[in-house]
Amino acid sequence: MGGLDDLYQELILDHYRNRRNAGQLDDPTVAVDHNNPLCGDEIHLELRIEGGRLAGVAHSGEGCSISQSSASMMSVALSDRTEDEALDLVEHFRRVMRGDEDADEERLGDAVALEGVAKYPVRVKCALLSWMAAKDAILTRRSEGG
Ligand code: ZN
């Protein structure tokens, strides 16, 4: 007991302290802002989409360790994926957070560490914030017909 939880806890802290893909892109295709008023989490997400792929993912914002580490994990998990793959993965993560599916570590990467958050409904919105922002960004770009 505890071994896996400790490892996951360590991964979450690592992404919180050393956020991957933090900052902004030089030439984003689309940018969105989302926030989670229940906790005060904010994210500004930028995507650069080239040939239907997420060639660049950058995030900035502030909030609790779950929201910020999740944004970092999301940026790694979605980078280089096609738009459809990214949308599928966001949906998978959403279902994991709702306890409807087991986490697919191969697809989620370090974000598998957030699976335990599903046990804490108050924190689920924190974990989902950046992923929902990514979905919104992709759908926004599509509706703009780019
Ligand atoms: Zn939060």
Side-chain angles (χ1 to χ4, degrees), residues 36 39-41 63-67 123 126:
N36 169 22
C39 183
D41 308 316
C64 67
S65 59
I66 296 290
S67 70
R123 311 312 301 277
C126 302

Side-chain angles (χ1 to χ4, degrees), residues 78-90:
L78 298 190
S79 284
D80 274 338
R81 298 204 183 262
T82 67
E83 290 176 304
D84 284 338
E85 286 169 349
L87 289 173
D88 280 352
L89 196 45
V90 168

Side-chain angles (χ1 to χ4, degrees), residues 1-144:
M1 278 301 288
L4 194 59
D5 283 348
D6 288 349
L7 175 68
Y8 283 177
Q9 211 43 252
E10 199 55 44
L11 269 172
I12 291 169
L13 277 176
D14 181 54
H15 276 268
Y16 180 57
R17 292 180 181 132
N18 306 296
R19 283 173 230 176
R20 278 61 147 185
N21 305 302
Q24 298 183 342
L25 300 172
D26 290 335
D27 52 348
T29 309
V30 60
V32 296
D33 291 282
H34 278 222
N35 65 85
N36 169 22
L38 288 176
C39 183
D41 308 316
E42 299 175 358
I43 182 172
H44 173 76
L45 178 69
E46 298 185 348
L47 301 181
R48 190 173 70 252
I49 297 173
E50 290 173 3
R53 270 183 192 275
L54 277 60
V57 180
H59 60 95
S60 54
E62 56 188 40
C64 67
S65 59
I66 296 290
S67 70
Q68 299 302 305
S69 62
S70 183
S72 173
M73 291 164 169
M74 175 279 297
S75 71
V76 175
L78 298 190
S79 284
D80 274 338
R81 298 204 183 262
T82 67
E83 290 176 304
D84 284 338
E85 286 169 349
L87 289 173
D88 280 352
L89 196 45
V90 168
E91 178 60 15
H92 171 61
F93 185 73
R94 193 183 67 83
R95 293 178 64 83
V96 169
M97 284 297 110
R98 296 205 164 177
D100 293 339
E101 278 180 20
D102 291 330
D104 180 345
E105 183 169 5
E106 203 165 304
R107 295 165 72 201
L108 289 174
D110 287 352
V112 71
L114 294 166
E115 187 172 23
V117 173
K119 284 181 285 192
Y120 307 96
V122 184
R123 311 312 301 277
V124 165
K125 278 188 191 298
C126 302
L128 277 176
L129 179 67
S130 56
W131 298 72
M132 291 299 113
K135 177 181 178 180
D136 181 35
I138 292 169
L139 296 180
T140 296
R141 192 212 63 82
R142 283 189 172 174
S143 71
E144 289 168 352

